[in-house]
Amino acid sequence: MSTVTTRAASPGGGLVLGLALALLAGAAVADPPAGYPFLAYDEGLERAQAQDKRIFLYFGRYGCGWCEKTNEETFSDPGLRELYTEHYVLVYVDAESGRRLTLPNGERITEMELGARLNVVATPVFAYLEPDGTPIFRAPGFKTIEDFELFDRYVRGGHYRRQSFSEFLSAQGAS
Amino acid sequence: MRGPRAGLALALALAATTSVGAPWRFGEPVPVSPHHGEGVFHHLESAGRRNLAVDAGTAGVAWEDNHTGTSQVYVAFATGDGGFDAPRRVSRSRPAYEPAIAALGEGAFAVVWEEADAVWLRRVARDGMGPARRLAAPARQASIDARGGRAHAVWGSRRGEHARIMAAPVRVTEGGMEAGAAAAVDGDPPAADQLYPSVVLTAAGVVVGWEDRRAGHTRIYTSFAPRGEAFGAARPLNDLPPPISAQYGAGTGAARVALARAGVRRVAAAWMDKRDFRGGYDIYAALSGEGGARFGPNELVQDMFGSTIAQWHPALAAGPGGRVAVVWDDDRDRTSDLWLSWRRPGGWSEDLAVPGASGAGEQSNPAIAIDADGDLHVAWLSQDEKHGPTRLWYVKGTVTSD
């Protein structure tokens, strides 16, 4: 598992790499897992700040096999669904889409452009963000239930403030 | 300075702007717009990446920026003495995005853009602009091409359940520009969204390429209309790799196709392709000698040094003698730079960093055009730091060889 924390600061210091998506209803989009209240990024960021909740961001692609595998084999778990629904604002982004979103600095870009800026070279990519959109941790590729439970402990336990994910794993005795 | 030192100095100066084997020698970059600074963001983005066009050696750049507080579309023209004239706002008043520009001839250009959930059309020249005409609504992602007194616009219509690519001839009138009857480029009702069209006119007819999701993943399709006739059946353009799973996933992705006219009946296509998904998008191309009715095999554009990283924002241009060039951005040298490859016998050239659009800072989002003399015009965005305010630049490459 890889850990990449990407942070960007606007010249004014007010922007981190948090993004807001405008949910576009009615268009064919890449599919988030069923039964989860995934939001568009704009709405997700707003809700995260209102509720002071961290964001779980899922980058997917229309027709992505690894995304579908993760949806069916991992996100289908009721326990995982309850865990993530309760503790995160869930946001989904289609990495090919031309739907526009508004960054906190006011810039309007597309979902695909967001992926380009975050160097989302393959999907799925899962990212954890602070309520204001500051990136915490990022994990690309298919993930198991245990993976997401481990990530959750790393994030909600605040370990990311003191340790890299590798250090956290070593401390956990996991490999 | 004379003698060997002079010769060495000259050689060094030439080497700074000319890469060995490159058919162009590049000048100094110049800013396109005077508006930049904190909170100002420019975007060179359009269906087919048609943000730059050249007529009689004059480059016209169309872009969107928010320097007034809202996103608006602007056009500026090269002055001929190394700079650009003052930007003209082309859009009306609502937030506007993704303009595409085509040269009409005699110093006039046609611009299409998206504004207020509609697609608009306008004739723009150095001496003024015609009125804005609404092409279609609800609609997005417009593009346009012009050749020999003919012009054709394309866009994504959102009238039905799925977005559908529409095309219409456009012409210059005393009152500005007008569109003829619009037609769907794919006769069958869309089974899924059709997105981001690109269009080219040739002596043979009209060819349109677009992103199509009918197969459960995004593929590039094309459709061709012989002159005076309707569009034929849609054909997939990008090849597919063997499936990696019998159970999961419909297929790999392809996106943002661009088309360019490379001769009387010769058309080039380039697009982003994820068939080798591990390294992100690669740039692929295909050529047609039938005006776009059929394309030859897919060709990988970027070289091996770009194979393990993602390429973004490919822009395509073609010019006299069938010369075809692609420019994109990638971060193989740790920062985002513009890279150039051109087609030559046997394949594509090695990738060359575009002088002036590489090195320190972030360079991205190119738009390119090749003029009637074979010169290469490049516009792009720069940022001093990732995610910072942008600046819009232009550089001209003067042709050095056939």
Side-chain angles (χ1 to χ4, degrees), chain A residues 55-68:
Chain A
I55 297 167
F56 174 73
L57 169 59
Y58 179 178
F59 266 101
R61 178 185 61 78
Y62 196 70
C64 164
W66 293 112
C67 307
E68 188 178 349

Side-chain angles (χ1 to χ4, degrees), chain B residues 11-48:
Chain B
L12 288 172
L14 286 174
T17 57
T18 305
S19 300
V20 175
W24 298 283
R25 178 181 297 119
F26 290 89
E28 286 297 313
V30 296
V32 175
S33 169
H35 304 295
H36 58 89
E38 177 80 16
V40 177
F41 300 99
H42 306 77
H43 298 107
L44 276 176
E45 190 169 7
S46 64

Side-chain angles (χ1 to χ4, degrees), chain A residues 8 68 73 96 98 107 113, chain B residues 41 43 140 218 248-249 313 387:
Chain A
E68 188 178 349
E73 296 184 8
E96 291 176 336
E107 184 183 9
E113 184 61 22
Chain B
F41 300 99
H43 298 107
R140 296 184 64 187
T218 308
Y248 295 122
H313 313 115
H387 312 298

